[in-house]
Amino acid sequence: IAHRQQELAEHQQEQAQREEAAREKLNQSSQQLHQLEIVRAALESGGQEMESRGKNLESELSRAKERLEKEEEEAKNLETLLEQGREQAESAGNMLEGFLLRVRKRREKAQKLLETYQEEKRALGTLSDRLEMLQALERDYEGFGRAVRQTLEAARKGVLSGIHGPVSQLISVGDEHAVAIEIALGAAMSNIVTKDEESAKQAIGFLKSRDLGRATFLPVSAMAPRKTDGRPLEGEPGFVGMADTLVQREPIYDNVVRSLLGGTAVVEDLDSAIRLSRRYPHRYRMVTLDGQLMSNSGAMTGGSLNKNTGILSRKNEIARLRQALEEKSGDLKELAGQVQKAQGDWKKAENDAQAAQEEKNQAQAALQSLEARQSQHALLLGSLRQALEGLLEEQGSAQERRRTLE
């Protein structure tokens, strides 16, 4: 019986151990089931989360792609604007160079015209000074004797009346004949022409009463022309013309001039004078163009000219200077207008160049602004592309996890 009881006790103990092991295994299975439930719940929750994130990823990807496309289109627009900006900047630069070239040319033209104007003005001043000097000599009756000067001065002041002036101031002679006529007239150059004999008498009395010397007077009313036929000399070699025909004067002085020069022939040179005097002996007084004189008596006077000659030449020079001054004054006025216009054109070109410079500066500033904008936009594009790549990687990882869970 004791043995039996021992066996029973051992059996019960084994039974209890088996039950304990079964309970523990059941407990472990229950725990594993619980853990599986937790995992399942977590997986279900993760799957929902992944599904929700997947949807969000799709939306974010769509927006990122749309934004990227928009910004890439903007990048193209910026590149187009940049190209236009470069063209405008280059065009503005070329235009500026053209205006600067125009400025240089117009400046050179204006300066050259101004230099010409100043040179012409100086030349005009020189002519004016020369004319003033000669006119002063003429006013002061330079080259005339004291009696003649005093008589003419008295007439100018109104002390004497009926004084027409010295012969030299009442006639005009071409330059080529001036020396010959001056020599032919000789002292008669300073003879004073009067209205009539009474005027001459009054002047003589004036000189006598003041002990001013003597002068010769030629009353227009009393002068008789010297009649000498010069036709035989026409066509003769070396013959220039009868002296009275080579002198210009007013008709009132015809008898005065003919009385002084009517018998005088002007010839080319002394050889011509000698030859013609032999051909027409004692008929004509002859004077050469260079001032050599042969009287009709056969007497010859010649050599170098003395300082008393040149009164007619001075008168001619005064006339030439007056004409030259008138012409040059007109030319100078016209030149002054050209200078003014050239300076105006120069100023306008400078204003145009300044406007072109401002336009170029604006074009360059706009170009620099566009280049800065493009650089910033390039950074934005890089950031957008990087963000898109990140979203695509996240999407790929999510899809891989989903496949793993499935």
Side-chain angles (χ1 to χ4, degrees):
I1 293 172
H3 178 71
R4 187 68 180 162
Q5 287 178 342
Q6 183 178 359
E7 288 180 351
L8 181 60
E10 290 176 356
H11 179 72
Q12 288 176 345
Q13 186 178 2
E14 289 177 358
Q15 184 65 31
Q17 289 177 345
R18 283 195 295 273
E19 288 177 358
E20 182 63 27
R23 281 195 298 274
E24 187 169 348
K25 186 175 182 182
L26 180 61
N27 186 36
Q28 290 176 351
S29 297
S30 177
Q31 289 178 355
Q32 289 176 351
L33 181 61
H34 181 65
Q35 289 176 351
L36 286 172
E37 286 294 330
I38 291 173
V39 170
R40 184 184 64 78
L43 287 173
E44 288 179 356
S45 176
Q48 291 174 355
E49 230 177 81
M50 289 177 62
E51 184 177 355
S52 176
R53 180 56 183 158
K55 291 179 179 179
N56 289 337
L57 276 173
E58 289 292 336
S59 178
E60 289 179 15
L61 279 168
S62 176
R63 289 196 301 273
K65 288 178 180 179
E66 183 179 350
R67 176 73 186 281
L68 184 60
E69 289 176 358
K70 180 181 177 181
E71 296 302 332
E72 285 178 341
E73 186 64 27
E74 178 66 13
K76 292 180 181 178
N77 291 336
L78 278 175
E79 185 59 36
T80 300
L81 290 175
L82 271 171
E83 186 62 29
Q84 292 175 351
R86 293 187 188 100
E87 290 177 357
Q88 289 176 354
E90 183 179 0
S91 176
N94 292 336
M95 185 177 296
L96 176 61
E97 289 180 2
F99 279 122
L100 289 176
L101 178 60
R102 183 181 296 177
V103 168
R104 287 194 295 272
K105 288 184 177 179
R106 291 187 176 181
R107 180 179 63 244
E108 290 171 359
K109 180 180 179 181
Q111 290 174 342
K112 186 175 181 180
L113 281 172
L114 181 60
E115 290 174 0
T116 302
Y117 172 80
Q118 291 171 341
E119 290 175 0
E120 290 296 321
K121 189 175 182 180
R122 286 192 293 270
L124 186 66
T126 301
L127 287 178
S128 180
D129 291 343
R130 174 68 177 170
L131 176 62
E132 182 60 31
M133 182 195 71
L134 293 176
Q135 286 178 333
L137 294 176
E138 195 80 357
R139 285 193 302 270
D140 295 338
Y141 305 110
E142 183 69 25
F144 296 108
R146 179 189 178 203
V148 174
R149 290 200 305 271
Q150 292 295 328
T151 302
L152 296 175
E153 186 66 25
R156 185 163 61 185
K157 292 178 179 179
V159 176
L160 296 175
S161 62
I163 305 297
H164 289 206
V167 170
S168 62
Q169 291 185 354
L170 301 178
I171 63 175
S172 297
V173 184
D175 287 335
E176 66 275 21
H177 304 137
V179 172
I181 298 301
E182 283 191 34
I183 296 300
L185 286 172
M189 287 276 291
S190 60
N191 288 357
I192 299 173
V193 178
T194 63
K195 177 183 178 181
D196 49 31
E197 294 94 327
E198 287 301 319
S199 300
K201 178 182 175 182
Q202 182 186 13
I204 291 172
F206 170 81
L207 293 174
K208 183 178 180 182
S209 64
R210 290 167 175 76
D211 196 21
L212 294 175
R214 299 166 63 84
T216 300
F217 296 89
L218 306 176
V220 171
S221 59
M223 297 301 294
R226 182 179 298 175
K227 298 180 180 179
T228 303
D229 188 2
R231 287 178 295 178
L233 294 175
E234 293 178 2
E236 289 283 355
F239 175 68
V240 175
M242 296 304 293
D244 62 308
T245 65
L246 301 177
V247 174
Q248 291 79 48
R249 70 278 186 177
E250 293 183 14
I252 191 175
Y253 303 122
D254 279 349
N255 287 348
V256 173
V257 171
R258 288 173 181 170
S259 69
L260 297 174
L261 299 173
T264 303
V266 177
V267 295
E268 293 179 356
D269 50 38
L270 196 55
D271 289 336
S272 298
I274 293 172
R275 177 174 49 79
L276 291 174
S277 66
R278 288 174 179 173
R279 183 174 179 84
Y280 304 97
H282 311 299
R283 190 169 180 180
Y284 303 101
R285 188 173 68 137
M286 298 189 186
V287 61
T288 66
L289 292 175
D290 64 352
Q292 315 306 320
L293 183 65
M294 177 175 284
S295 70
N296 51 8
S297 67
M300 299 173 65
T301 304
S304 60
L305 299 177
N306 60 44
K307 61 181 181 180
N308 292 325
T309 60
I311 295 177
L312 289 179
S313 298
R314 181 175 69 197
K315 182 179 179 181
N316 289 347
E317 186 176 359
I318 289 174
R320 286 196 306 273
L321 286 173
R322 284 174 177 166
Q323 182 178 359
L325 279 173
E326 184 178 352
E327 293 175 355
K328 283 188 174 294
S329 295
D331 294 342
L332 196 65
K333 184 177 180 180
E334 182 179 351
L335 190 57
Q338 293 177 5
V339 170
Q340 185 176 7
K341 182 179 182 304
Q343 290 176 336
D345 292 342
W346 176 14
K347 181 64 176 177
K348 182 179 182 302
E350 285 186 333
N351 292 337
D352 291 341
Q354 185 177 359
Q357 181 67 63
E358 292 175 359
E359 185 175 345
K360 180 184 177 182
N361 293 341
Q362 292 173 0
Q364 288 179 334
L367 181 60
Q368 290 173 355
S369 176
L370 283 171
E371 289 173 342
R373 183 178 167 189
Q374 187 187 47
S375 297
Q376 293 175 353
H377 196 263
L379 294 175
L380 175 62
L381 280 177
S383 177
L384 289 174
R385 290 191 180 103
Q386 188 176 0
L388 181 59
E389 289 176 0
L391 289 173
L392 289 172
E393 289 178 2
E394 185 179 353
Q395 185 185 48
S397 299
Q399 289 174 349
E400 184 65 27
R401 286 197 302 272
R402 190 180 294 113
R403 283 195 296 270
T404 302
L405 288 175
E406 290 175 353

